[in-house]
């Protein structure tokens, strides 16, 4: 284990997601990744500015980047699992290069593919924050504990990004159950972003 | 007659006709398609260069084609239009994201595919990858057009973009070697 991990507390995804959502007061967009990350986002309260990604493992960050590029005045958060991020690590280089000032990534790192049976990922020797920094996202940080996580979210809300916040989490599953209706999720999100009006 | 057909197809043969990439670029612009991620291909080089040279476009390389699809899906939901440029082998990596995000979410994804693997291909791998493309598009009932003629190009691109947006459905626009000259064995 590398140095930054040593002092990080093992936290809980549901709790951290609630803490994040509780700090969003300006219609910030949130993209929840496949499985547990969007289940917990759903459970934290169904804001119209939330997008719940049902398939396409690994694309929470690219989708968030697209929203950020389309709406520069709006802050955009991606919540992604560590296994999912591993599948699309290259997107960190794209984000670093385009450097959207309104984008923040939150990585929920349990070291496993929790939802498919808790198998360990191949990244047990890796440090996600070091990877992100190495890709060029200079503002990449481990959250030491819940208080530190909230502080880092406040930094993401107040200062130009891009930023990546990683949190070590336990092996508990997500608590919500996202309604599996992709067209309705997409439409509601577009309404939440002011792109569409309800008919 | 044969000479007319050649002039309609081949880039730069007739001084009166613009190049294929100039037509594509102008048609994207006219339809307010301004976010253009790509994974490059030799044939796409002049189009990519033209997009980079025009500040109307935000154009950039991604590490994978799938990543670019995610970016374009997010951008569409945020109110911005875009298109993805790639080669046939790039399309071959997309079945999962098309079936699990683009089609069920009704995202009007606009894709340009430089067709490798046919009409003089010298790499057997490319020719096999190419054979997977249309079956995947057909399996998902996705609209696709193979563009072979310069004189039809603007019509197909313009109408396809408008249809994609109006019907909230993706489209693949395949750039045939008949249109672009393709890549030839050196
Ligand atoms: C391309 C692809 N491969 C495999 C799967 C199966 N799958 C769904 S979720 C998942 C694990 C996600 O892991 P992570 O992002 O770390 O989240 P966690 O389950 O730990 O919360 C896997 C392997 C998939 N949906 N898509």
């Amino acid at each position: 284990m590398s140095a930054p991990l040593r002092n990080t507390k093992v936290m809980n995804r549901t709790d951290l997601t609630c803490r994040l959502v509780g700090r969003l007061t300006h219609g910030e967009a949130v993209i929840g990744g496949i499985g547990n990350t969007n289940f917990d986002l759903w459970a934290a309260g169904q804001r119209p500015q939330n997008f719940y990604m049902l398939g396409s493992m690994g694309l929470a960050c690219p989708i968030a980047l697209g929203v950020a590029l389309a709406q520069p005045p709006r802050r955009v958060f991606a919540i992604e699992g560590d296994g999912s991020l591993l599948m699309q690590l290259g997107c960190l280089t794209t984000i670093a290069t385009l450097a959207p000032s309104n984008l923040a990534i939150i990585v929920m790192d349990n070291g496993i593919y929790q939802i498919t049976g808790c198998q360990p990922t191949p990244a047990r020797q890796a440090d996600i924050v070091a990877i992100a920094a190495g890709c060029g996202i200079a503002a990449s940080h481990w959250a030491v504990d819940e208080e530190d996580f909230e502080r880092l979210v406040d930094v993401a809300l107040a200062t130009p990004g891009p930023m990546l916040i990683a949190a070590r989490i336990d092996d508990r599953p997500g608590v919500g159950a996202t309604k599996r209706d992709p067209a309705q999720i997409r439409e509601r999100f577009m309404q939440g972003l002011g792109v569409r009006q309800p008919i | 007659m044969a000479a007319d057909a050649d002039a309609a197809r081949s880039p730069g043969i007739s001084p009166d006709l613009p190049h294929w990439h100039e037509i594509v670029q102008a048609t994207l612009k006219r339809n307010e398609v301004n976010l253009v991620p790509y994974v490059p291909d030799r044939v796409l080089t002049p189009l990519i260069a033209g997009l980079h040279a025009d500040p109307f476009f935000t154009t950039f390389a991604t590490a994978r084609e799938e990543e670019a699809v995610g970016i374009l899906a997010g951008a569409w939901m945020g109110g911005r239009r875009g298109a993805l440029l790639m080669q046939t082998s790039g399309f071959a990596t997309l079945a999962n994201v098309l079936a699990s995000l683009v089609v069920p979410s009704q995202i009007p994804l606009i894709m340009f595919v430089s067709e490798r693997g046919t009409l003089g291909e010298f790499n057997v791998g490319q020719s096999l990858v190419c054979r997977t493309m249309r079956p995947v598009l057909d399996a998902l009932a996705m609209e696709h057009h193979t563009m072979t003629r310069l004189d039809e190009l603007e019509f197909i691109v313009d109408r396809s973009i408008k249809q994609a947006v109006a019907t909230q459905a993706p489209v693949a626009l395949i750039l045939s070697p008949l249109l672009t000259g393709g890549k030839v064995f050196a």
Side-chain angles (χ1 to χ4, degrees):
Chain A
M1 282 293 167
S2 55
L5 283 175
R6 221 177 288 135
N7 296 322
T8 53
K9 181 179 169 190
V10 175
M11 295 173 270
N12 175 264
R13 187 193 317 96
T14 313
D15 175 55
L16 293 181
T17 305
C18 289
R19 288 172 191 265
L20 167 72
V21 170
R23 303 184 98 70
L24 305 179
T25 54
H26 293 91
E28 293 85 352
V30 186
I31 316 300
I34 192 169
N36 286 316
T37 45
N38 84 66
F39 294 168
D40 274 337
L41 182 61
W42 180 273
Q46 289 140 51
R47 306 163 63 246
Q49 295 85 13
N50 291 352
F51 183 72
Y52 311 93
M53 199 189 75
L54 297 177
S56 60
M57 181 174 168
L59 291 190
C61 297
I63 292 171
L65 171 59
V67 176
L69 291 172
Q71 299 204 352
R74 190 187 300 273
R75 297 264 163 186
V76 184
F77 287 82
I79 312 179
E80 188 65 298
D82 56 330
S84 296
L85 184 63
L86 279 179
M87 192 166 273
Q88 203 67 238
L89 276 182
C91 78
L92 296 177
T93 67
T94 313
I95 288 165
T97 299
L98 296 181
S101 62
N102 55 335
L103 178 63
I105 299 165
I106 295 176
V107 183
M108 299 291 186
D109 183 7
N110 52 15
I112 55 176
Y113 300 109
Q114 197 283 331
I115 206 163
T116 54
C118 296
Q119 305 86 348
T121 76
R124 295 306 275 261
Q125 305 302 319
D127 180 331
I128 283 167
V129 167
I131 290 170
C135 287
I137 303 177
S140 297
H141 307 278
W142 284 105
V144 172
D145 56 20
E146 288 83 356
E147 200 181 313
D148 192 40
F149 177 82
E150 292 191 356
R151 181 188 67 80
L152 289 167
V153 168
D154 287 346
V155 172
L157 287 168
T159 56
M163 185 170 175
L164 182 140
I165 304 167
R168 280 209 297 160
I169 58 162
D170 59 36
D171 61 0
R172 268 182 276 164
V175 301
T178 306
K179 192 164 183 298
R180 287 183 173 78
D181 187 337
Q184 203 179 323
I185 287 170
R186 192 262 312 139
E187 184 68 25
R188 182 149 190 257
F189 184 57
M190 291 178 81
Q191 290 172 13
L193 297 185
V195 174
R196 292 267 174 90
Q197 304 303 320
I199 56 168
Chain B
M1 201 55 217
D4 283 357
D6 278 352
R9 285 188 173 130
S10 304
I13 283 186
S14 164
D16 305 332
L17 290 172
H19 288 272
W20 70 266
H21 52 90
E22 294 166 339
I23 294 173
V24 170
Q25 181 166 340
T27 311
L28 290 175
K29 197 168 184 170
R30 190 147 42 81
N31 283 281
E32 287 160 37
V33 177
N34 63 18
L35 188 69
V36 191
Y38 60 85
V39 178
D41 167 78
R42 166 66 67 186
V43 169
L44 293 168
T45 301
L47 176 57
I48 291 168
L51 296 169
H52 275 290
D54 184 344
F56 173 82
F57 294 100
T58 303
T59 191
F60 53 91
T62 58
R64 286 182 67 78
E65 292 80 1
E66 192 185 31
E67 179 198 345
V69 172
I71 292 168
L72 291 173
W76 166 256
M77 294 190 288
R80 186 167 177 181
R81 292 185 193 180
L84 164 59
L85 314 181
M86 67 195 135
Q87 72 165 221
T88 325
S89 46
F91 181 84
T93 68
L94 296 183
N96 182 54
V97 69
L98 294 174
S100 69
L101 177 71
V102 172
V103 174
S105 304
Q106 301 171 342
I107 305 287
L109 175 69
I110 295 157
M111 294 176 282
F112 287 88
V113 188
S114 165
E115 189 175 26
R116 284 287 307 272
T118 186
L119 297 173
E121 181 57 58
F122 49 88
N123 178 341
V124 64
Q126 287 279 3
S127 68
L128 293 169
V129 167
C130 182
R131 282 174 213 158
T132 70
M133 177 165 59
R134 289 176 183 83
V136 168
L137 289 163
D138 290 336
L140 292 169
M142 280 178 55
E143 183 92 1
H144 60 90
H145 298 283
T146 302
M147 304 178 297
T148 61
R149 294 179 59 94
L150 212 48
D151 58 351
E152 296 175 351
L153 180 60
E154 182 182 353
F155 189 94
I156 296 175
V157 174
D158 183 66
R159 295 292 178 97
S160 295
I161 293 169
K162 290 180 166 69
Q163 179 172 331
V165 170
T167 64
Q168 303 189 93
V171 64
L173 298 170
I174 300 163
L175 298 157
S176 166
L178 285 164
L179 178 77
T180 63
K183 187 179 176 191
V184 284
F185 187 68

